[in-house]
């Protein structure tokens, strides 16, 4: 089946610290991988994506590399800011019940303190 | 600016009521989804639709139904609301394709008392 396992939170970091949020997946076939972010009081929005092995997605200083050999898509940022405080969801897109569905991890809440 | 709009941000309903959650998208997307979001459980798929009048069950369809009479509108129906359906409900839409971005509404926080 298709599933995503991501690092449990919450994660609290000081401003300018290095961030890693781990994500591993199980999928049939060759899924596309995504990171979505949910800021307080808002819906989810796409942060970055990668569609094939060894692709690196990047946006707003965040990056993640699609690692087929370890079935992972870890999110990293070199220097976090207070404005990065949010919940981060790893997701994969794969065929299920005749359509391309998105399967989400449980989310990791990040709090960045000044 | 692309948009997915959910009809209510907050709703309070009584046990046993029939509840309608509405979602409208303006991007001409084929696929639309309803998720519920609960702490520690992430997003769980309730139902999805890949075309007008088409619907498929997700992971947790029990107690819910859906309607898609027009391409832009996807409604979630709680036939008889129960307290365990208190949750955040998120609607999303996307074009067909494995790598396409999903666009989400702001969510409806439903409380059943």
């Amino acid at each position: 089946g298709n599933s995503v396992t991501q690092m449990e939170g919450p994660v609290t970091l000081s401003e300018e610290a290095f961030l890693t949020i781990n994500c591993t997946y199980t999928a049939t076939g060759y899924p596309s991988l995504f990171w979505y972010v949910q800021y307080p009081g808002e819906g989810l929005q796409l942060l970055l994506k990668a569609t094939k092995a060894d692709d690196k997605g990047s946006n707003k200083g965040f990056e993640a590399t699609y690692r087929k050999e370890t079935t992972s898509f870890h999110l990293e940022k070199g220097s976090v800011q207070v404005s990065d405080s949010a919940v981060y969801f790893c997701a994969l897109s794969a065929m299920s019940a005749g359509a391309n569905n998105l399967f989400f991890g449980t989310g990791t809440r990040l709090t960045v303190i000044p | 600016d692309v948009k997915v709009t959910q009809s209510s941000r907050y709703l309070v309903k009584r046990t046993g009521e029939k509840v309608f959650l509405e979602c409208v998208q303006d991007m001409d997307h084929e696929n639309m989804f309803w998720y519920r979001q609960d702490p520690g459980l992430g997003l769980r798929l309730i139902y999805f639709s890949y075309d007008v009048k088409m619907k498929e069950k997700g992971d947790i369809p029990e107690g819910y139904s859906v309607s898609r009479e027009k391409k832009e509108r996807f409604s979630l129906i709680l036939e008889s609301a129960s307290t365990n359906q208190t949750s955040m409900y998120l609607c999303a839409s996307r074009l067909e394709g494995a790598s396409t971005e999903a666009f989400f509404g702001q969510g409806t926080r439903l409380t059943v008392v």
Side-chain angles (χ1 to χ4, degrees), chain A residues 36 38 41 43 49 93 100-101, chain B residues 9 33 37 94 96 98-99 102:
Chain A
Y36 282 83
Q38 185 179 33
K49 69 178 183 182
S93 177
N100 273 296
N101 271 316
Chain B
R9 289 295 301 273
F33 307 83
Q37 181 180 9
R94 68 192 292 219
E96 180 54 34
S99 62

Side-chain angles (χ1 to χ4, degrees), chain A residues 32 34 36 38 41-46 49 51 87 89 93 95-107, chain B residues 9 31 33 35 37 40-43 45 48 50 56-57 59 90 94 96-107:
Chain A
S32 293
F34 304 80
Y36 282 83
Q38 185 179 33
E42 298 183 15
L44 278 71
Q45 57 186 272
L46 179 66
K49 69 178 183 182
T51 59
V87 182
F89 292 90
S93 177
M95 287 297 291
S96 174
N100 273 296
N101 271 316
L102 277 171
F103 299 86
F104 287 87
T106 54
Chain B
R9 289 295 301 273
N31 296 337
F33 307 83
Y35 294 89
Q37 181 180 9
L41 298 176
L43 274 69
L45 182 64
F48 66 96
Y50 52 87
E56 291 287 343
K57 294 179 180 178
D59 299 321
L90 292 172
R94 68 192 292 219
E96 180 54 34
S99 62
T100 61
E101 176 181 356
F103 293 86
F104 284 82
Q106 287 190 294

Side-chain angles (χ1 to χ4, degrees), chain A residues 56-67:
Chain A
K56 178 185 284 189
S58 61
N59 186 25
K60 300 182 181 179
F62 291 89
E63 57 183 36
T65 301
Y66 189 142
R67 301 284 187 203

Side-chain angles (χ1 to χ4, degrees), chain A residues 5-8 20-24 35 73-75 90 108:
Chain A
T5 302
Q6 72 179 97
M7 172 177 153
E8 285 195 25
T20 300
I21 301 177
N22 289 337
C23 172
T24 57
W35 277 100
F73 192 54
H74 305 320
L75 183 69
C90 185
T108 301

